[in-house]
Every structure is written in structure tokens, then in C-alpha cells.
Amino acid sequence: MDEDPIVGYLVVDDFFTREELDACREDLKLMVEELAQKLHNAGKIKKLYRDYGLFERLTMIEKEFPGSNILLHKMKTMPKSFCDLWSNERILNVMEQILGPDIKGHPVWNIRTKTPQNEATTVPWHQDVGYLNNESYKVLQPTAWIPLLDTNEDNGCLQVAKRGHKTGKVADHQCCHGGTWYVMLEEEEMKRKLDIDLENDLKICPIPYGGMLLFNNLVPHRSLPNMSNKIRWSLDLRWQRPSEPVGFYGLKDGILMRTSKDPNYKIDWESFNKIDRHQVQKESIEESESAIEDEFDTTIQGPWMKKWEIVHVNRHILEHRKKEGNPETWTKA
């Protein structure tokens, strides 16, 4: 762990039990099986690849149907094991020390399907607030990045820019990175706007199975390429105070997890899971509640694509522009 107490991140090597994380792995196996069945039944893949395990199977499916990892990334309902991890009593106790007794889960959570050497799973430098609207800029939204295997530089762990939050500023991001839907933050902009020392402040954070990386929403971070032969699975989960805006463009609210008004409060997972975040993102672009998600659509669109300057046009941007119907007028917000 870094000795500086205000670096903006914390490496915790041992926090979750093996049973808690193993349950997430089992649900992931079920999700990969469901995806394989769906693709096979539609004639998209010729084999189910059941002779491969959790850390290889999606890679084989991806070779036959590129973008399979994106389909899994866009999963609609959070499995019980993920819900249990997100609302784990010990992690909420940690969040209570940071946020106070009232805690809401942020609606933007992700399963990372980091298949080897895949651009779609290699996330460039960014601040998390770069994906949200401006009302979130003064809201503290801690993130826990939780790998589902031992991670290191070879298989794509995270890298952070320590003290990247010290100016309290949001740097200018761009969109989109390469062939992806990700916003990106240039290192020179990090240096200029956020006062980051590019030689000394960039820290790679390997995390063992059972550990997590905690950081706040202004700290720039990225995921390194997965150069191993195994899939690097991980979850990123977020929390904040219920009284503050989530900044997700009014598309979906967070989920109340702990309240000082009711020590026996029961989390309403059913209502939270009824709203598909990726679907409402698309509806916000089309301005139509009747927009139907193609179950094999491997593009991702969202309102952040209109927030920043478009410097790379790719299939995600083209799909966004097509749905919006005004393709040539996007400028930096």
C-alpha cells in the first residue's frame, strides 16, 4: 500500500472470502452457458465449447462470434451473488466510514469480460465522472474494483494516477477510444489539468483473489492489456450518499442499501433489476421508449458520447449517430 494517506486509492489484499467470490464465479459460468446456448440456437456459433472452463470458454466463443464479450458485459439482471457482494455487510461498513450511515449503490456497475488481447476490454485512462453528467462532479462515489482471480500486470490489472483527485477538477476527455465506446483521457491533459507527475504518480495495482482496489471517482485509472492466455474477470461496484445526485442523466437511479432511519431495511433488488441500464441508454439516444434491443447487437451507446469531443469515429459512434438522426453536429459539451 502507498504510504501517502491521500493518494486517492487503497489496495486491500484480503477482504472477501473465497466462498463469496466463488459464488460469483459460479454465476458467471451460468451466464456464459446461457450466452453460448443463445448464440448456438441462433446459428451464430457452431459449438458450445463446454470442454473449456470459465477462464477460456468465452475466448473460444469470441473467436466465432466477435463481440460476445460485449453481449455479456451488457447483461441485464444482476445475479444474486453479485448483489450479495455489493451489499456485503463488511463492505457497507467500510462505505459507512467514508460516506456516513446512509448508503446508496450507484446504478453504473460492470462485469468486466477481459478476454486476452482484446481492445474492447482494455479501458483507457479516464475519470469515472467522465461518463456522468456535470451534477455528479461534486459527489463522492467510491469504487471497488474486485478481480475474480489473482491479477497482475500480465493479465490486465488496473493502473491509477495517485493524487489525481487533488485539484478537484475534471479533465477534458475525448470519445471514443479506438474501436470502442470508451471515453479517454490523454496523459498530457492529466499532467496539465490534474497536476499529475507522469513519471512518479502512475501506479500499477496487482490485486490477489479476495482483495479489492478502492478509489474515488476523480482519480484517473485504466486497465492494462490482458497479455495472458486466460480471461481476467472482475467487477466494479460503486456507492454514494442517497441525498446526492447519481449523475446518470436521469436514466436510472441507484439502489438504497443502508439507511439510518431503518436498521432492518431490506434492499429492493426487484425494482432495481427491472430497469435495464443499457436499454435506457439506447432509448435516451433515440428519444423513444419503444426502442427494442437487438439481443445480438455488439455496439454500446450512451449520452457520454455527446458530452466530449468526438476524435475517433467507429461502429459504436456510427450507430449512435444513426439513432440520433443528426450525425454531423456533435461538438464538445
Side-chain angles (χ1 to χ4, degrees), residues 308-324:
W308 303 110
E309 181 183 4
I310 302 296
V311 296
H312 291 153
V313 175
N314 57 40
R315 64 192 184 94
H316 304 277
I317 291 292
L318 290 174
E319 185 68 15
H320 192 161
R321 288 177 168 178
K322 182 177 74 173
K323 288 179 169 55
E324 196 205 32

Side-chain angles (χ1 to χ4, degrees), residues 4 151 170 239:
D4 189 331
T151 59
V170 180
W239 302 262

Side-chain angles (χ1 to χ4, degrees), residues 28 33 45 53 82 99 119 135 164 234 241 243 269 304-305 333:
L28 279 174
E33 169 67 18
I45 59 175
F82 293 10
L99 300 169
E119 181 188 47
E135 68 179 0
S234 66
R241 298 180 184 93
S243 59
W269 292 110
W304 62 86
M305 289 179 168

Side-chain angles (χ1 to χ4, degrees), residues 187-225:
E187 289 189 351
E188 283 304 310
E189 172 69 359
M190 290 163 57
K191 179 181 177 180
R192 184 188 68 82
K193 188 78 168 279
L194 305 179
D195 195 24
I196 290 170
D197 182 341
L198 297 176
E199 292 186 4
N200 298 306
D201 289 346
L202 307 186
K203 302 297 180 182
I204 294 172
C205 301
I207 307 292
Y209 190 52
M212 64 178 172
L213 174 66
L214 293 174
F215 54 93
N216 79 40
N217 47 317
L218 286 179
V219 172
H221 57 285
R222 67 175 176 177
S223 75
L224 300 175

Side-chain angles (χ1 to χ4, degrees), residues 3-31:
E3 294 179 359
D4 189 331
I6 55 170
V7 292
Y9 73 95
L10 178 68
V11 172
V12 183
D13 286 335
D14 185 11
F15 188 85
F16 298 104
T17 67
R18 179 167 288 274
E19 290 74 21
E20 289 164 343
L21 296 187
D22 284 352
C24 294
R25 284 183 173 185
E26 291 303 313
D27 275 334
L28 279 174
K29 290 178 184 177
L30 294 174
M31 290 155 51

Side-chain angles (χ1 to χ4, degrees), residues 63 122 128 184 186 194 214 228 241 319:
K63 287 179 180 179
T122 304
D128 280 349
M184 57 185 178
E186 298 288 350
L194 305 179
L214 293 174
S228 74
R241 298 180 184 93
E319 185 68 15

Side-chain angles (χ1 to χ4, degrees), residues 78-94:
M78 197 175 215
K80 183 179 183 300
S81 62
F82 293 10
C83 296
D84 291 344
L85 201 70
W86 197 9
S87 59
N88 180 292
E89 183 178 8
R90 299 189 314 284
I91 194 67
L92 291 185
N93 288 342
V94 171

